């Protein structure tokens, strides 16, 4: 056997052994790229919206809809934490955790959470996104005027009408006796809805302005008001003459107070009062969504730390001590 045959046989043997090892031990021939860790794609809050649901006399359910934007490689174990913080006290009211799961591809996903809070004041809704337990994004939105949300039993399309030609509450003197005055108080009610509610009742109270004592009260049943119609029910009140009065009217439906109105009756010629209305309509308001952090690849980036350039403990006293020490040292060297 010559030298060439020996070399050929050795090469064939080496290849055979390599093939045998590759078949017995899988992954020996795998390249280094196959063992690289795949980084998950970024997850960010794209938008958030809040809706009021299930309004009751004391509480309201806030439905928080958060849209998450994802791109790149799959992101596993994504969770959302939504909490309501009292706008005045800063105390945490309630928290909800939503498991989003795995996000794949370049798309947006919606995650919903419902928070039950008291129907008063305002709140700050904070949303935090976690990926595998790591915070990757957060945002907030504020709510105000929750008390303006009416429960279903208090909603009505019938209200006191107020126009220049037809005030919501007016009066005329029906009888002026030596000590008593009878007032004919008229109210104006308008149905701005599409149905005709029944069992409506108006109550008018006359309160003496200085003492706040109720001089007289009366009620009248209105019945049903057709859509788009205005009616003017009236009552008669007998009060002591020579005084000024506040006239307070309340509209009731099935025992529920649904609207109020106020006016004045000036029966004292030497002094007059005004209705002095301070009532203000405060609507339920939701602020725009605000992101609390800038994101870089799906991760919030913190602001640079500000350095305090003033060293603690170095004041005028220390400076004087330093000068005195330097003088002593210079005198010692001179000696």
């Amino acid at each position: 056997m010559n030298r060439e045959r020996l070399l050929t046989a050795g090469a064939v043997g080496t290849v055979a052994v390599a093939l045998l090892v590759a078949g017995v031990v899988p992954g020996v021939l795998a390249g280094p790229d196959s063992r690289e860790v795949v980084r998950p794609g970024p997850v960010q809050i794209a938008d958030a919206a809040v809706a009021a649901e299930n309004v009751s006399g004391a509480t309201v359910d806030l439905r928080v809809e958060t849209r998450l934007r994802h791109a790149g490689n799959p992101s596993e174990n994504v969770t959302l934490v939504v909490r309501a913080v009292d706008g005045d006290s800063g105390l945490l009211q309630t928290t909800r955790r939503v498991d989003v799961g795995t996000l794949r591809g370049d798309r947006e996903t919606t995650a919903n959470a419902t928070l039950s809070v008291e129907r008063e004041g305002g709140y700050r809704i904070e949303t935090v996104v976690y990926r595998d337990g790591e915070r990757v994004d957060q945002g907030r939105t504020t709510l105000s005027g929750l008390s303006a949300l009416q429960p279903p039993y208090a909603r009505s399309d019938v209200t006191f009408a107020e126009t220049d030609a037809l005030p919501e509450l007016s009066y005329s003197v029906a009888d002026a006796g030596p000590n008593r005055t009878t007032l004919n108080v008229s109210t104006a009610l308008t149905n701005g809805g599409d149905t005709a509610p029944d069992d409506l009742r108006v109550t008018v109270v006359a309160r003496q302005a200085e003492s706040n004592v109720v001089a007289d009260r009366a009620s009248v049943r209105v019945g049903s008001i057709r859509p788009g119609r205005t009616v003017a029910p009236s009552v008669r009140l007998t009060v002591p003459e020579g005084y000024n009065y506040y006239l307070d009217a309340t509209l009731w439906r099935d025992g529920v107070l649904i609207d109020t109105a106020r006016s004045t009756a000036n029966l004292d010629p030497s002094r007059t009062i005004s209705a002095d209305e301070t009532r203000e309509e405060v609507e339920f308001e939701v602020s725009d969504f605000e992101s609390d952090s800038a994101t870089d690849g799906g991760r919030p980036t913190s602001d640079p730390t500000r350095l305090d350039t003033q060293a603690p403990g170095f004041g005028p006293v220390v400076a004087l001590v330093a000068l005195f020490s330097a003088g002593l040292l210079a005198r010692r060297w001179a000696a």
Side-chain angles (χ1 to χ4, degrees), residues 253-274:
R253 185 191 64 192
D254 194 19
V256 178
L257 176 64
I258 58 178
D259 200 9
T260 61
R262 168 177 285 191
S263 185
T264 59
N266 292 301
L267 305 183
D268 183 0
S270 62
R271 181 174 180 269
T272 60
I273 60 173
S274 63

Side-chain angles (χ1 to χ4, degrees), residues 16-82:
V17 172
L19 293 176
L20 179 62
V21 173
V24 174
V25 183
V28 172
L29 299 180
D33 294 339
S34 63
R35 297 190 298 270
E36 290 183 358
V37 177
V38 178
R39 295 180 60 86
V43 182
Q44 301 174 348
I45 299 177
D47 192 13
V50 182
E53 298 178 344
N54 302 325
V55 182
S56 66
T59 62
V60 57
D61 291 341
L62 300 177
R63 184 173 178 269
V64 183
E65 180 181 286
T66 306
R67 297 189 64 83
L68 300 177
R69 181 186 297 116
H70 176 265
N73 298 324
S75 297
E76 299 180 351
N77 194 21
V78 177
T79 57
L80 198 70
V81 175
V82 184

Side-chain angles (χ1 to χ4, degrees), residues 144-311:
S144 61
L146 265 69
S147 58
L149 299 174
Q150 291 184 330
Y153 61 78
R155 297 172 187 168
S156 176
D157 294 320
V158 178
T159 58
F160 286 103
E162 183 178 8
T163 63
D164 295 337
L166 185 63
E168 57 185 6
L169 195 61
S170 60
Y171 78 96
S172 61
V173 177
D175 185 19
N179 297 317
R180 298 281 175 174
T181 300
T182 300
L183 305 176
N184 184 36
V185 182
S186 298
T187 62
L189 301 175
T190 297
N191 185 0
D194 298 326
T195 60
D198 53 9
D199 197 17
L200 297 174
R201 177 171 54 89
V202 173
T203 299
V204 181
V205 176
R207 293 183 297 107
Q208 203 271 331
E210 287 76 13
S211 64
N212 207 35
V213 173
V214 175
D216 197 9
R217 73 173 66 225
S219 297
V220 58
R221 291 193 174 275
V222 181
S224 179
I225 304 176
R226 290 185 296 168
R229 301 302 197 273
T230 299
V231 298
S234 61
V235 297
R236 287 200 171 192
L237 303 176
T238 300
V239 297
E241 59 92 17
Y243 296 94
N244 296 327
Y245 297 91
Y246 289 110
L247 302 178
D248 293 321
T250 53
L251 177 62
W252 302 81
R253 185 191 64 192
D254 194 19
V256 178
L257 176 64
I258 58 178
D259 200 9
T260 61
R262 168 177 285 191
S263 185
T264 59
N266 292 301
L267 305 183
D268 183 0
S270 62
R271 181 174 180 269
T272 60
I273 60 173
S274 63
D276 194 22
E277 290 210 9
T278 58
R279 184 177 58 184
E280 181 180 357
E281 293 293 336
V282 179
E283 298 181 354
F284 173 61
E285 183 177 350
V286 182
S287 72
D288 294 334
F289 174 76
E290 301 174 358
S291 179
D292 287 349
S293 62
T295 56
D296 182 12
R299 296 175 177 236
T301 58
S302 59
D303 293 332
T305 304
R306 290 179 17 177
L307 299 179
D308 191 355
T309 57
Q310 182 179 358

